[in-house]
Amino acid sequence: MQVDQFILFGDSITQQSFSQNGPVEGSSPQTPGAGFFGPALTDAYVRKLDVINRGMSGYNTTQALKILPQAIPSPEHAGVRFLTIFFGANDARLPNTPSDPQQHVPLDKFKENLRAIATHQCVKPHKDVRIILITPPPVEERVNIKADEAKLPGLGPMFRRSVAETARYAQAVRALGWELNLPVLDIWGAMMKKARYNGSGLENEALVGSRDAPESKVLQEFLHDGLHFSRSAYVLLYKELMELIEQTWPDQMPDQLPFVLPRWDDEEVWQNENALEAQNRL
């Protein structure tokens, strides 16, 4: 039985999106349930598409491009119906910051890598693949500094990520989406809108999430360590993704897709050996 795949390709934010042991707001770090996104998407497409987690913690786009052929099946193995590409959180880490190896990828190279991933020879054979680019999220600098210093004590000041820098990488994803005519899930913009910021992040003002701006309780709730998602952020990501699919490919919404294999109560199929055999060949 071959079932088309919904592949989630990204970094640790994708990898952790299925986790049941991540932090939840107002609870201990071991409280189950932070990874809402993966289970919710899997449940939505159960028996319709196989949701595949290809999140690689710590990866930047240079590393992702190198392993892409191992992450995407050949059409003979499985069709790919959807492919989300969600990188930038590590690429946007500031250069020459404490703790090696360095993850920073210059902005132009980041965009070049994303283009190469979206147009790769292992993606092209999947003629009906629907590619979705996802911007990196913002960061909450105060929380991220504290989390990094707790994780890596003794390395001095730990200012390794800035919300202004992630704004530039988010804009690069938007620009690439326009150039390739691919839809973009702007999670940077969605989170910042919830935090009551309506700019692009490219002007010379103190951005929400910056050390120079007032504290944002919204971003602190979304980003439990200033970078990685809490449950509320994954809920937002899921909502934004389903809205994008409904607007762009309404025929691919879960309620529009047939079950793989017959329903238990489909008497017409169960009593017709030829129909059942045809279903089993799917």
Side-chain angles (χ1 to χ4, degrees):
M1 181 176 72
Q2 190 179 83
V3 181
D4 281 359
Q5 296 184 352
F6 194 132
I7 296 181
L8 310 174
F9 189 46
D11 52 34
S12 58
I13 297 173
T14 297
Q15 180 175 316
Q16 295 172 14
S17 69
F18 284 71
S19 172
Q20 297 302 293
N21 294 307
V24 178
E25 303 90 325
S27 63
S28 72
Q30 297 306 314
T31 301
F36 173 90
F37 175 75
L41 190 64
T42 301
D43 181 62
Y45 283 100
V46 68
R47 287 182 59 188
K48 297 175 179 182
L49 299 174
D50 283 347
V51 178
I52 307 297
N53 186 340
R54 291 291 179 262
M56 313 292 175
S57 179
Y59 275 41
N60 58 30
T61 52
T62 299
Q63 295 168 314
L65 182 57
K66 290 179 179 179
I67 61 91
L68 181 63
Q70 282 72 56
I72 305 295
S74 67
E76 293 74 27
H77 175 69
V80 178
R81 188 83 59 90
F82 285 98
L83 173 63
T84 60
I85 304 173
F86 188 6
F87 289 95
N90 296 315
D91 301 72
R93 177 182 156 186
L94 301 173
N96 304 314
T97 50
S99 183
D100 289 326
Q102 298 295 306
Q103 296 168 294
H104 175 77
V105 174
L107 186 62
D108 290 346
K109 182 65 174 175
F110 166 71
K111 187 177 177 183
E112 178 185 322
N113 286 343
L114 278 184
R115 184 190 302 275
I117 291 170
T119 60
H120 198 277
Q121 289 302 317
C122 71
V123 175
K124 285 183 177 180
H126 296 278
K127 300 299 183 183
D128 295 326
V129 64
R130 296 152 180 86
I131 299 173
I132 299 169
L133 303 178
I134 305 179
T135 69
V139 296
E140 211 299 330
E141 293 177 5
R142 292 180 180 87
V143 175
N144 189 236
I145 290 169
K146 290 179 181 177
D148 279 351
E149 289 178 347
K151 182 171 60 177
L152 300 165
L155 292 182
M158 293 297 291
F159 183 59
R160 302 196 301 170
R161 290 178 168 86
S162 82
V163 67
E165 189 72 354
T166 63
R168 297 173 63 232
Y169 284 70
Q171 179 58 29
V173 176
R174 297 184 198 107
L176 183 64
W178 184 85
E179 292 169 19
L180 297 180
N181 194 29
L182 294 176
V184 175
L185 194 169
D186 186 1
I187 196 64
W188 193 98
M191 285 187 177
M192 295 295 269
K193 184 177 180 180
K194 293 288 185 182
R196 299 185 183 278
Y197 175 78
N198 297 312
S200 67
L202 304 179
E203 295 85 5
N204 294 321
E205 80 268 32
L207 293 173
V208 175
S210 166
R211 296 174 298 174
D212 300 322
E215 285 193 29
S216 170
K217 296 300 182 183
V218 173
L219 288 189
Q220 289 176 2
E221 290 176 357
F222 278 147
L223 307 166
H224 67 83
D225 61 358
L227 173 67
H228 295 100
F229 285 16
S230 65
R231 181 181 177 86
S232 61
Y234 281 123
V235 169
L236 178 63
L237 180 64
Y238 176 77
K239 175 178 175 290
E240 293 289 324
L241 177 63
M242 298 310 291
E243 287 182 357
L244 185 151
I245 293 173
E246 185 172 29
Q247 293 169 6
T248 311
W249 304 288
D251 62 319
Q252 296 301 309
M253 287 294 287
D255 62 359
Q256 298 299 309
L257 299 180
F259 268 154
V260 173
L261 299 181
R263 299 177 63 96
W264 74 271
D265 57 354
D266 190 340
E267 294 185 23
E268 181 178 349
V269 172
W270 288 109
Q271 293 173 7
N272 185 327
E273 291 296 329
N274 291 331
L276 183 59
E277 184 178 346
Q279 288 263 356
N280 287 338
R281 286 199 298 268
L282 290 176

